[in-house]
Amino acid sequence: MRGKGKESKMKTFLRKTLKVLKVLLLTVMIFSVMMIGVIAGSLFGYVENVEVIDISRLTMNLTTFVYADDGSGNKIVMDSLYEDENRVWASIDEIPKNLQNAFVAIEDERFYSHSGFDIKRIIGAGILYIQNKLTGSTDSGYGASTITQQFIKNVTGEDDVTLKRKIQEIYRAYKLEKDIGDKDKILELYLNTIYLSQQCNGVRSAAARYFGKQLSELTLAECACIAAITKYPTKYDPILNPEDNAERRAVVLAKMLECGYIDKAQYDAAVSETLSIISEDSVSSKTTSYYVDAVIDQVLDDLVKIGYTKSMANRLLYSGGLTINAAVDIRIQGILEDYYTGSDHFPKGSGSEQPESAMIIIDHTNGQIKALVGGRGDKTAARTLNRATQTLRQPGSSIKPLAIYAPAIEYGKITPSSMVSDSPITIQGWSPRNDDRAFLGNITVRRALAGSRNVPAVRILRNLGLDRSYSFLTKNFHITSLVRNEVRGDASFTDKAFAAIGLGGLTDGVSLKEMAAAYVPFAQKGIYYTPTTYTSVLDSQGNVLLQADTAGQVAMSEKTAYLMTDMLEDVVSYGTGTSARLSGIPAAGKTGTTSSNYDRWFVGYTPYYVGAVWFGYDTPKSLRGFSGNPSARVWKAVMTSVHEGYEKKSFNTLGSTVSVMLCADSRQLPNSTCTEFVSEIFNANNVPKSRCSLHLELDDGEGKLVEYTPPTENEAPSEVPDYMEPGDGNVIPIPQETPNITVTAPTPGPVTTLPQDTSVPQVSEGGL
């Protein structure tokens, strides 16, 4: 009986227990369903408005490259431009399999089988996290992120440690894999966006930075070295921490062996390989050449011209992966850089401060800048002062051909053989002087230019008119730094003045680049080309973003250009520019020295190139201690090397001109008493017809002819007209027809009257 009672109690207990368990189970099930609903709701809320990654709209920081032609039609990298990230894109086909496998093995061994996230990896990372919490360990082991998730993190920049962010990352990875459907494409994206220390983003930049190699040249050990960096870029940087990288590299190789990507023999060879890593000291810094600096400035300016803001243009240049095809000639640039780094090539100044110099060389057939240097010595930083393109200095007499002689010939005011008075003149209280303080009386325009005579130049300018001269400089020669009329502080400034235009005493000055470009029409039949440092700029997809302007603009007639070249050759042959004379190659040009002797210039050209040189102190001070014109000597030395091996070539000829022998004194056809003769160029329709009236055939009263003796050169008549017109008895007529003015030249108008403003600056010199 007692046994049956116990059995009955047990059954009752079991029934009650089962009932309680059923209630608990039901409760748990209901709670679980509720929790699942809550979790599902939370997850849905996390991903409902998440923006998925659209790789077609993805923009990443890509390195811009400046390419040059090596002279044989091959493109070579001249420089690379990047801001914080040096990234050069590589397609998956360009990335060696060993490098792909190294990253997959160490970062995501089930990459080819999961759908963007790895459940095993997530669980393993969770268990490790709990173990570390319980034991206090800091062993990181491996993370839960797949390669796809890491790519998401790289491009979004989101890396905060929250459940919400992790869920969104998993969702984005899943969507990306589903949308792309190509594991190789995802791996390509990852290997081009991963940061690998030393400002390297992507495996191609890393291969070049650490080993100086193309991707295809990497060994297995080098691939493992690069893959080892990714876990902690600074810690495993092979330059900063080579031992740590070596340890991690061994782990990568072991994992590749475990995954079957390499065999034991390959593993052993790679582990024992000694890597030749480019040390930090041997890597070139971010110093860029003066030429690349000029390329950067021009590309930025031109991007703004087509609608980019300055900040957008800067971002595009340094992060847009542009291809810039430079107009540079590597050989000529090398000649120029070698010369300007030689300290013995320039005269030395007294004291610690030494004079500076700059030079630029332009191909006058197209306006391409072939070489430039913006300062002496080694360049030690990027974007430093570029004296060839950025500095404005007064040009002195080197502006005379542009401001006076060319427009005066173009408007029919003078010819090379016209006579002009080199005698005292005063304009509004200002009396210009020649550098030698002497006066030569009546001289030809040709001689005035060759000798850089100031007074005749001012007389020609007065006849031409300030308006015409100013317009020719700005519109035909594209000088942009002239001041029309400006108030600065309490003072008024203008370059539309006789001293400024006539003798080069400009308010702000002019750049070496604009001066060189302005001389291009003399060498190129009157055609002006916009100076350019590049031929084209392509975006990261290969589309043309910028194209250099190759259309020339007519600056003057071909006849004017020809006559100017003929006269400027005389400057080099026997005038103030003889120290620039070349052997075997014709040269023409003009010297320039400012009134305070602060600047010395030479702008010259050959049948091949225009070259301009400036010499002076950055903080202007006198150059009186320097003999001659250092700029002319620099020009000769550089251009001699540049033209080495070039075929002898003449300047452009003009078919409608003829050479006529004239009396040296009167510049008329000689008579029987003339003893000195010169050859002069004339348009075929304007050959002089009058015989010399200076050397008169006089009767001495006894039936003998006597020769008239003209005044000596240094004798200056008290009143000498500006020009000796027909009827004055000693000069050929000025051509009566007005030359055809080109589309860019201003329409001839009345001669400008003298301005009423009497504040003409005093210029004591302006000479050579």
Side-chain angles (χ1 to χ4, degrees):
M1 295 292 294
R2 288 180 180 176
K4 291 182 178 180
K6 288 182 178 180
E7 183 179 344
S8 177
K9 288 180 180 180
M10 181 59 69
K11 289 180 178 180
T12 301
F13 173 76
L14 290 174
R15 283 197 301 270
K16 289 181 178 180
T17 301
L18 184 59
K19 186 176 182 179
V20 170
L21 289 174
K22 287 181 178 179
V23 172
L24 287 174
L25 181 60
L26 182 60
T27 302
V28 169
M29 290 177 64
I30 293 172
F31 179 76
S32 297
V33 171
M34 292 175 63
M35 289 301 297
I36 291 173
V38 170
I39 293 172
S42 298
L43 292 176
F44 181 76
Y46 286 163
V47 302
E48 181 181 15
N49 297 314
V50 172
E51 182 181 359
V52 296
I53 302 298
D54 181 0
I55 61 170
S56 66
R57 296 171 53 198
L58 191 62
T59 57
M60 284 171 282
N61 294 338
L62 300 175
T63 298
T64 287
F65 282 94
V66 180
Y67 290 96
D69 191 306
D70 67 354
S72 301
N74 302 312
K75 289 173 63 173
I76 58 174
V77 176
M78 188 178 184
D79 215 326
S80 57
L81 308 176
Y82 55 90
E83 199 158 27
D84 298 320
E85 302 178 7
N86 179 15
R87 178 183 288 116
V88 189
W89 199 268
S91 69
I92 195 66
D93 294 333
E94 296 176 288
I95 302 172
K97 270 295 183 181
N98 277 337
L99 189 57
Q100 297 180 40
N101 294 336
F103 274 94
V104 170
I106 197 63
E107 292 296 313
D108 187 2
E109 61 183 289
R110 283 177 291 278
F111 170 71
Y112 291 104
S113 60
H114 63 62
S115 299
F117 61 95
D118 188 344
I119 292 295
K120 289 183 179 180
R121 200 173 182 89
I122 293 172
I123 293 173
I127 293 173
L128 182 61
Y129 174 79
I130 294 172
Q131 289 177 347
N132 287 344
K133 285 295 185 180
L134 294 175
T135 62
S137 173
T138 58
D139 179 23
S140 60
Y142 57 87
S145 295
T146 62
I147 281 177
T148 313
Q149 289 175 255
Q150 290 181 57
F151 167 70
I152 298 294
K153 187 191 302 182
N154 290 342
V155 298
T156 62
E158 298 173 359
D159 59 358
D160 49 310
V161 185
T162 64
L163 179 62
K164 178 180 179 180
R165 201 275 305 169
K166 200 66 179 178
I167 291 172
Q168 290 176 340
E169 178 184 280
I170 292 172
Y171 175 73
R172 281 171 164 163
Y174 170 76
K175 283 289 294 179
L176 183 65
E177 293 237 6
K178 185 177 179 181
D179 292 343
I180 293 179
D182 184 348
K183 286 287 188 178
D184 282 345
K185 183 61 179 178
I186 291 173
L187 186 59
E188 177 185 309
L189 292 169
Y190 170 72
L191 293 177
N192 280 286
T193 56
I194 190 168
Y195 179 61
L196 295 167
S197 196
Q198 297 288 330
Q199 291 186 305
C200 296
N201 285 76
V203 291
R204 172 166 277 172
S205 296
R209 172 64 187 86
Y210 295 116
F211 304 108
K213 291 184 175 183
Q214 297 293 329
L215 285 169
S216 60
E217 301 172 328
L218 293 175
T219 66
L220 172 59
E222 290 167 343
C223 290
C225 171
I226 293 173
I229 300 171
T230 184
K231 185 177 182 180
Y232 292 121
T234 302
K235 176 177 173 59
Y236 295 116
D237 184 318
I239 294 174
L240 300 178
N241 300 296
E243 294 181 359
D244 290 335
N245 180 273
E247 291 179 6
R248 180 69 176 170
R249 184 165 71 243
V251 173
V252 173
L253 290 168
K255 196 67 179 176
M256 292 181 73
L257 178 62
E258 177 188 328
C259 293
Y261 289 127
I262 57 175
D263 58 29
K264 187 65 167 58
Q266 291 174 307
Y267 169 81
D268 291 339
V271 167
S272 61
E273 181 179 335
T274 300
L275 301 186
S276 298
I277 297 171
I278 300 175
S279 67
E280 189 171 27
D281 291 338
S282 67
V283 176
S284 61
S285 67
K286 288 290 289 179
T287 300
T288 51
S289 70
Y290 283 113
Y291 196 98
V292 172
D293 285 354
V295 170
I296 292 171
D297 290 338
Q298 185 173 15
V299 170
L300 288 174
D301 288 345
D302 290 351
L303 286 173
V304 171
K305 290 177 183 176
I306 65 172
Y308 287 85
T309 64
K310 288 184 179 181
S311 60
M312 288 171 59
N314 194 76
R315 171 73 176 171
L316 182 61
L317 178 66
Y318 286 99
S319 306
L322 304 182
T323 295
I324 301 175
N325 295 309
V328 67
D329 185 307
I330 293 296
R331 182 187 71 88
I332 300 177
Q333 181 68 19
I335 291 172
L336 205 50
E337 290 180 355
D338 288 345
Y339 189 88
Y340 267 74
T341 54
S343 60
D344 58 341
H345 293 155
F346 298 88
K348 292 179 171 59
S350 58
S352 58
E353 184 185 8
Q354 293 299 308
E356 272 292 350
S357 181
M359 184 172 184
I360 188 168
I361 298 174
I362 298 178
D363 181 346
H364 53 66
T365 64
N366 52 29
Q368 293 179 3
I369 298 174
K370 292 303 177 183
L372 65 83
V373 169
R376 293 175 52 189
D378 294 321
K379 192 169 183 288
T380 58
R383 309 294 298 279
T384 56
L385 176 64
N386 196 333
R387 299 168 186 85
T389 59
Q390 297 173 328
T391 301
L392 302 179
R393 300 298 288 253
Q394 292 186 350
S397 291
S398 62
I399 205 170
K400 289 176 181 175
L402 309 174
I404 300 173
Y405 291 97
I409 290 176
E410 184 78 354
Y411 283 118
K413 296 295 182 181
I414 59 171
T415 68
S417 61
S418 297
M419 301 292 284
V420 61
S421 174
D422 184 7
S423 61
I425 183 176
T426 298
I427 303 176
Q428 301 169 339
W430 172 57
S431 300
R433 293 181 290 181
N434 296 309
D435 188 63
D436 60 5
R437 304 297 198 274
F439 298 96
L440 302 181
N442 299 328
I443 61 174
T444 62
V445 165
R446 180 182 295 276
R447 185 177 179 186
L449 178 57
S452 197
R453 309 298 293 177
N454 291 335
V455 176
V458 172
R459 288 185 182 276
I460 297 172
L461 176 59
R462 187 173 70 171
N463 193 317
L464 172 68
L466 289 174
D467 283 339
R468 283 178 173 169
S469 176
Y470 186 94
S471 180
F472 224 82
L473 285 172
T474 55
K475 294 180 180 179
N476 295 43
F477 290 125
H478 302 271
I479 303 297
T480 62
S481 55
L482 299 190
V483 175
R484 178 179 292 274
N485 192 8
E486 191 173 317
V487 176
R488 301 178 182 177
D490 297 329
S492 296
F493 297 87
T494 180
D495 286 331
K496 194 179 286 189
F498 287 97
I501 291 181
L503 305 184
L506 303 176
T507 303
D508 296 322
V510 64
S511 74
L512 194 66
K513 181 176 79 171
E514 290 195 348
M515 282 295 289
Y519 271 67
V520 163
F522 296 147
Q524 201 54 37
K525 298 183 178 181
I527 306 300
Y528 174 91
Y529 289 98
T530 301
T532 182
T533 56
Y534 68 82
T535 59
S536 63
V537 178
L538 312 181
D539 65 18
S540 60
Q541 303 302 312
N543 302 309
V544 176
L545 188 62
L546 295 171
Q547 189 79 45
D549 181 9
T550 57
Q553 305 167 56
V554 179
M556 68 187 78
S557 67
E558 185 177 346
K559 183 181 79 173
T560 297
Y562 174 76
L563 293 176
M564 286 300 303
T565 293
D566 189 69
M567 290 197 294
L568 290 171
E569 280 190 277
D570 288 346
V571 174
V572 176
S573 296
Y574 67 85
T576 59
T578 54
S579 55
R581 190 185 304 153
L582 301 178
S583 175
I585 296 288
K590 184 69 185 73
T591 52
T593 301
T594 56
S595 60
S596 300
N597 222 325
Y598 288 163
D599 306 272
R600 292 187 185 171
W601 295 68
F602 185 78
V603 187
Y605 54 98
T606 70
Y608 294 96
Y609 302 106
V610 172
V613 184
W614 167 84
F615 180 87
Y617 287 94
D618 282 336
T619 302
K621 68 178 184 179
S622 177
L623 297 171
R624 292 190 186 283
F626 298 93
S627 62
N629 189 327
S631 291
R633 293 195 293 270
V634 169
W635 192 92
K636 177 179 181 176
V638 171
M639 295 301 256
T640 296
S641 297
V642 166
H643 289 81
E644 187 174 344
Y646 278 39
E647 179 184 353
K648 186 174 181 179
K649 183 179 177 181
S650 300
F651 286 112
N652 295 319
T653 58
L654 195 64
S656 61
T657 61
V658 293
S659 179
V660 179
M661 195 65 68
L662 302 177
C663 170
D665 294 318
S666 68
R667 286 323 198 256
Q668 293 176 295
L669 295 175
N671 61 34
S672 60
T673 61
C674 297
T675 58
E676 299 291 334
F677 309 96
V678 294
S679 178
E680 188 56 87
I681 297 172
F682 293 94
N683 183 286
N685 298 322
N686 293 316
V687 177
K689 299 178 176 59
S690 302
R691 291 286 175 179
C692 176
S693 55
L694 260 181
H695 302 133
L696 302 178
E697 296 179 324
L698 301 176
D699 190 326
D700 64 356
E702 298 180 1
K704 297 180 180 179
L705 297 177
V706 296
E707 184 177 341
Y708 170 76
T709 303
T712 61
E713 284 189 344
N714 288 322
E715 292 179 9
S718 57
E719 288 293 336
V720 183
D722 287 347
Y723 294 92
M724 307 301 288
E725 299 292 349
D728 291 323
N730 66 340
V731 65
I732 58 102
I734 295 175
Q736 297 303 305
E737 87 279 11
T738 301
N740 293 326
I741 305 303
T742 61
V743 291
T744 60
T747 303
V751 176
T752 305
T753 57
L754 295 179
Q756 298 303 309
D757 181 12
T758 60
S759 59
V760 179
Q762 176 67 35
V763 178
S764 58
E765 305 168 54
L768 304 182

